[in-house]
Amino acid sequence: MKEQLEAMIASMTPEVYQRLATAVEIGKWPDGVALTQEQRENCLQLVMMWQARNNDAPQHMTIGKGGEMVTRSKKELKEEFGIESDVTRIHLH
């Protein structure tokens, strides 16, 4: 089973990875059919395993190459998106 899983991950193209990631995010396949809970769980595992092997430029809350979860602070995210710290403050009266 482990060998089959490894072969499946190794054969996944970036396009297949993206389709699985999108399906997990929105809960639907590209044709609009909803994922079952089991499909969503399996797809999420495949996405995370693919990221652990191939994600050279991990985003916030993804798995980086090597299997580590990548998180960034609010300050780091603002810098990444070019947002000044005072721009996001909202004052309601």
Side-chain angles (χ1 to χ4, degrees):
M1 179 75 164
K2 183 179 177 185
E3 293 157 359
Q4 291 174 328
L5 185 57
E6 291 293 332
M8 184 185 315
I9 299 300
S11 67
M12 279 177 58
T13 65
E15 293 78 21
V16 170
Y17 158 77
Q18 191 57 58
R19 287 180 137 214
L20 292 174
T22 300
V24 169
E25 289 173 11
I26 64 172
K28 296 178 183 178
W29 294 112
D31 64 2
V33 175
L35 274 72
T36 65
Q37 186 61 34
E38 183 179 11
Q39 288 173 329
R40 194 172 199 155
E41 290 169 5
N42 290 336
C43 288
L44 180 57
Q45 289 179 1
L46 288 170
V47 164
M48 292 172 70
M49 292 175 72
W50 187 92
Q51 288 178 347
R53 288 163 178 76
N54 300 289
N55 197 1
D56 291 319
Q59 300 297 313
H60 179 63
M61 297 301 289
T62 63
I63 305 298
K65 199 169 188 177
E68 295 292 320
M69 172 69 82
V70 174
T71 59
R72 293 192 170 85
S73 68
K74 188 184 256 185
K75 180 181 177 183
E76 290 171 321
L77 288 169
K78 285 181 179 182
E79 289 173 0
E80 184 176 321
F81 291 107
I83 300 171
E84 295 180 27
S85 60
D86 63 344
V87 171
T88 58
R89 291 188 184 144
I90 298 173
H91 299 283
L92 301 174
H93 300 282

